């Protein structure tokens, strides 16, 4: 009996403001409606999300469709790239990501490394796999933390993969127990 984890990277949001409170743009909201339409056919059992507003907004239509609230999991939040969880510029982010994927323990002072982020997020994923064995689960997530979770199971999901993803994006991970046996991209 397979368990399916639908990793849903959030839609478009402005790159300013509080990381936790950044909402989707108009385009992001339109894409969220498309995500709901796509996932309506997948017999979703539960919807779990990062606590960040843009992730919740991306998957809340699916939760309304199944008549259950979005379950918020703090440890599914995006990797903390800088001290105080303030947003760093795109110019700073590129080199930081390159260093982080070369050395999983690399982090700016007061921030989180890829290894730390991956450990906390995979722990949540393992709990979900145990709790919802044989079910279909939607996970509202972010680019880096999604890549790190997927990369835990398959090294192909690396920095190049992260750069190839879109906002939004959807990947269905198929599991037998805790073993990932397949990944399929659903968004186009």
């Amino acid at each position: 009996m397979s368990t399916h984890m639908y990793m849903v990277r959030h839609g478009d949001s402005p790159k300013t403001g509080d990381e936790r409170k950044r909402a989707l743009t108009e385009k992001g909201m339109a894409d969220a409606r498309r995500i709901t339409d796509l996932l309506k056919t997948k017999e979703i059992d539960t919807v779990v999300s990062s606590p960040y507003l843009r992730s919740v907004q991306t998957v809340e239509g699916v939760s309304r469709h199944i008549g259950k609230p979005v379950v918020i999991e703090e440890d599914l939040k995006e990797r903390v790239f800088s001290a105080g969880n303030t947003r760093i510029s795109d110019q700073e982010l590129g080199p930081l990501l390159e260093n982080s994927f070369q050395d999983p323990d690399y982090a700016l002072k007061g921030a989180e490394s890829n290894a730390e982020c991956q450990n906390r997020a995979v722990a949540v994923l393992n709990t979900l796999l145990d709790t919802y064995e044989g079910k279909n689960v939607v996970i509202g997530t972010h680019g880096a933390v999604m890549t790190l979770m997927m990369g835990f199971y398959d090294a192909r999901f690396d920095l190049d993969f992260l750069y190839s993803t879109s906002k939004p994006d959807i990947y269905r991970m198929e599991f037998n127990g805790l073993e990932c046996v397949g990944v399929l991209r659903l968004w186009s």
Side-chain angles (χ1 to χ4, degrees):
M1 175 175 3
S2 292
T3 304
H4 295 106
M5 295 288 166
Y6 291 87
M7 308 295 273
V8 180
R9 185 180 185 190
H10 67 79
D12 186 58
S13 65
K15 293 186 175 186
T16 59
D18 183 300
E19 279 297 296
R20 288 181 175 270
K21 296 177 184 174
R22 281 178 28 208
L24 293 176
T25 62
E26 227 174 271
K27 179 190 180 316
M29 292 303 284
D31 285 338
R33 289 188 290 276
R34 287 181 53 213
I35 287 167
T36 299
D37 290 342
L38 184 116
L39 293 177
K40 278 181 180 179
T41 64
K42 305 299 182 195
E43 298 181 26
I44 302 302
D45 295 288
T46 196
V47 178
V48 180
S49 180
S50 152
Y52 292 9
L53 180 59
R54 59 193 181 273
S55 290
V56 174
Q57 287 180 320
T58 302
V59 297
E60 67 187 353
V62 179
S63 73
R64 279 194 301 273
H65 174 73
I66 66 170
K68 296 179 182 176
V70 176
V71 177
I72 302 300
E73 284 288 344
E74 180 67 26
D75 283 341
L76 291 177
K77 68 184 177 188
E78 181 60 293
R79 180 181 156 197
V80 179
F81 292 108
S82 63
N85 203 19
T86 56
R87 189 173 192 296
I88 63 174
S89 72
D90 289 343
Q91 293 78 15
E92 296 170 297
L93 185 59
L96 173 61
L97 287 171
E98 287 178 28
N99 288 332
S100 297
F101 277 88
Q102 289 172 6
D103 175 5
D105 294 316
Y106 176 82
L108 296 177
K109 184 176 179 168
E112 178 177 52
S113 69
N114 273 4
E116 291 167 323
C117 177
Q118 185 180 62
N119 287 340
R120 70 165 158 82
V122 169
V124 172
L125 189 55
N126 285 338
T127 298
L128 294 172
L129 287 165
D130 183 53
T131 304
Y132 297 102
E133 185 174 6
K135 305 288 185 182
N136 297 314
V137 178
V138 167
I139 298 176
T141 189
H142 307 268
V145 69
M146 177 183 79
T147 299
L148 293 170
M149 283 188 283
M150 294 170 73
F152 178 82
Y153 299 97
D154 187 332
R156 292 178 300 152
F157 301 107
D158 57 9
L159 183 59
D160 289 335
F161 167 77
L162 172 58
Y163 285 146
S164 76
T165 63
S166 61
K167 289 182 188 175
D169 218 334
I170 305 173
Y171 294 86
R172 186 191 75 196
M173 298 180 74
E174 182 178 352
F175 289 86
N176 285 334
L178 296 179
E179 179 187 3
C180 181
V181 296
V183 177
L184 177 67
R185 184 175 190 222
L186 300 180
W187 187 256
S188 58

